[in-house]
Amino acid sequence: MEPLKTKKKVLKSALTRLRDKVASAIKDADSIVLRLFESKANDLFNDFKLLFDSIFVTCKPEELDNFIQEKETIDDSTDELRLNVNRKMNKTDPEHSISSVSNCNASVLSDVKLPTLSVPTFNGKIENWIMFKDMFVASVIENKSISNSIKLQYLKASCRDEALRVIQSISISDANFDIAWKLLEDGCSNKRELLNAIIKKLLSQTNISESSSAIVNLIVITNECIRSLEVLHYKVENLSETMIMFIIVEKLDKSTRYWWEKELNNSDDFGTLKQLL
């Protein structure tokens, strides 16, 4: 628990420094500086989320309420910081994906009240899809007070790299949100591919040194992988066969792996060890 508390102290200090820096520089900041502020604020938001996820499953029951209250305070602070940057970007950069739309002006967007103002970013890597999907559904899709066109704005603002390329050309409208969401979901919802990606992420973690931050990172990624597996209805205690199959398939050459995929007939089922052997 002590490494988690140390990491929390470091992140809170980083948040304070960033908030002070934004407050002093935002008035004259150009779009490049604003995007840098936005990126750093988003990274802090994600770091705090992963950290508190680990704290919640590690702390003593009597400490839980205090940690929840502390997280809510930090969330309010990061939300305010990101909102200030976004409002400035609305004025400085009309192409900013949250505020620049054909049928909605910036003042409407700034009045939107979401359960969580922003969601973690998604870069198209399938192993990150489950966590992103859960957060986006909870904070945006299930919010009945906002239109689909605004939901699409948030979706575009949350995507990066390959994920953004998939939906970038889709124009902002109520009708197009479902189309954009389905494109992302279709590309990331094959159960077998998700399992492969999650297990690979779990096994590819680097050996740690005597570093508190490295230990925290190991704990955070492991917990994230376990939660993702449980969403797919794979409990840790029943994962042995799936893990062995993953290790074996990773050892196959390209041609043999192709015939194994063909044996599965393009289903999202992981198959059985007996089938594979």
Side-chain angles (χ1 to χ4, degrees):
M1 190 62 187
E2 287 306 313
L4 295 176
K5 290 181 178 180
T6 301
K7 179 69 172 178
K8 176 164 64 70
K9 185 176 181 180
V10 171
L11 288 178
K12 288 177 75 172
S13 177
L15 176 60
T16 299
R17 290 196 303 272
L18 180 60
R19 190 170 57 230
D20 292 344
K21 193 169 184 179
V22 169
S24 63
I26 194 169
K27 183 177 179 181
D28 300 316
D30 58 23
S31 61
I32 296 176
V33 174
L34 289 171
R35 287 187 182 278
L36 179 61
F37 285 156
E38 180 186 43
S39 176
K40 288 185 175 181
N42 284 337
D43 288 345
L44 275 174
F45 177 87
N46 292 334
D47 288 344
F48 272 119
K49 181 194 177 301
L50 293 174
L51 174 66
F52 275 99
D53 282 348
S54 295
I55 288 176
F56 292 155
V57 299
T58 308
C59 70
K60 298 175 183 177
E62 59 268 22
E63 297 177 316
L64 185 59
D65 286 343
N66 288 335
F67 281 123
I68 290 175
Q69 187 175 5
E70 184 177 15
K71 182 180 184 300
E72 289 175 349
T73 301
I74 291 172
D75 283 348
D76 288 342
S77 183
T78 54
D79 283 347
E80 182 182 1
L81 174 62
R82 297 159 88 194
L83 182 58
N84 288 338
V85 173
N86 276 325
R87 281 174 172 163
K88 178 66 175 179
M89 290 186 77
N90 292 344
K91 299 176 182 178
T92 305
D93 182 5
E95 296 299 321
H96 187 230
S97 56
I98 287 185
S99 60
S100 177
V101 294
S102 58
N103 60 350
C104 177
N105 60 38
S107 63
V108 173
L109 182 60
S110 65
D111 288 336
V112 171
K113 302 299 182 184
L114 295 176
T116 303
L117 185 64
S118 298
V119 295
T121 56
F122 178 56
N123 59 6
K125 292 184 178 180
I126 192 170
E127 64 268 25
N128 300 325
W129 168 249
I130 291 177
M131 297 296 292
F132 171 78
K133 179 181 177 181
D134 285 350
M135 287 294 296
F136 195 86
V137 168
S139 61
V140 178
I141 292 180
E142 292 182 351
N143 190 319
K144 305 301 183 184
S145 65
I146 59 177
S147 68
N148 276 2
S149 62
I150 295 180
K151 291 176 183 178
L152 182 51
Q153 295 168 58
Y154 275 103
L155 182 60
K156 283 192 171 188
S158 300
C159 288
R160 299 287 186 273
D161 303 332
E162 185 58 37
L164 181 58
R165 283 192 285 273
V166 171
I167 63 172
Q168 193 167 25
S169 62
I170 298 177
S171 59
I172 302 293
S173 72
D174 283 343
N176 282 344
F177 171 73
D178 289 338
I179 296 172
W181 183 252
K182 190 174 188 305
L183 281 173
L184 287 176
E185 199 165 32
D186 286 349
C188 299
S189 293
N190 183 286
K191 186 176 181 180
R192 179 161 43 83
E193 290 181 1
L194 279 167
L195 278 169
N196 281 335
I198 293 165
I199 296 173
K200 182 180 289 187
K201 183 176 181 178
L202 183 63
L203 294 180
S204 64
Q205 296 185 80
T206 57
N207 295 335
I208 62 173
S209 58
E210 294 183 5
S211 161
S212 61
S213 61
I215 293 172
V216 169
N217 193 54
L218 180 68
I219 294 170
V220 167
I221 292 177
T222 301
N223 281 332
E224 180 182 321
C225 290
I226 289 172
R227 285 194 300 275
S228 296
L229 288 167
E230 290 176 343
V231 169
L232 295 174
H233 306 294
Y234 280 84
K235 297 294 184 182
V236 172
E237 59 269 21
N238 299 325
L239 197 61
S240 302
E241 180 174 318
T242 306
M243 188 75 75
I244 293 171
M245 289 178 64
F246 172 82
I247 293 170
I248 294 173
V249 171
E250 283 292 291
K251 303 297 183 183
L252 299 179
D253 62 273
K254 186 176 180 180
S255 176
T256 309
R257 189 180 300 189
Y258 165 79
W259 286 105
W260 168 240
E261 298 283 344
K262 191 174 179 64
E263 170 76 14
L264 296 175
N265 197 26
N266 295 322
S267 74
D268 67 356
D269 186 67
F270 207 71
T272 66
L273 182 58
K274 184 177 179 180
Q275 274 181 289
L276 176 59
L277 296 178

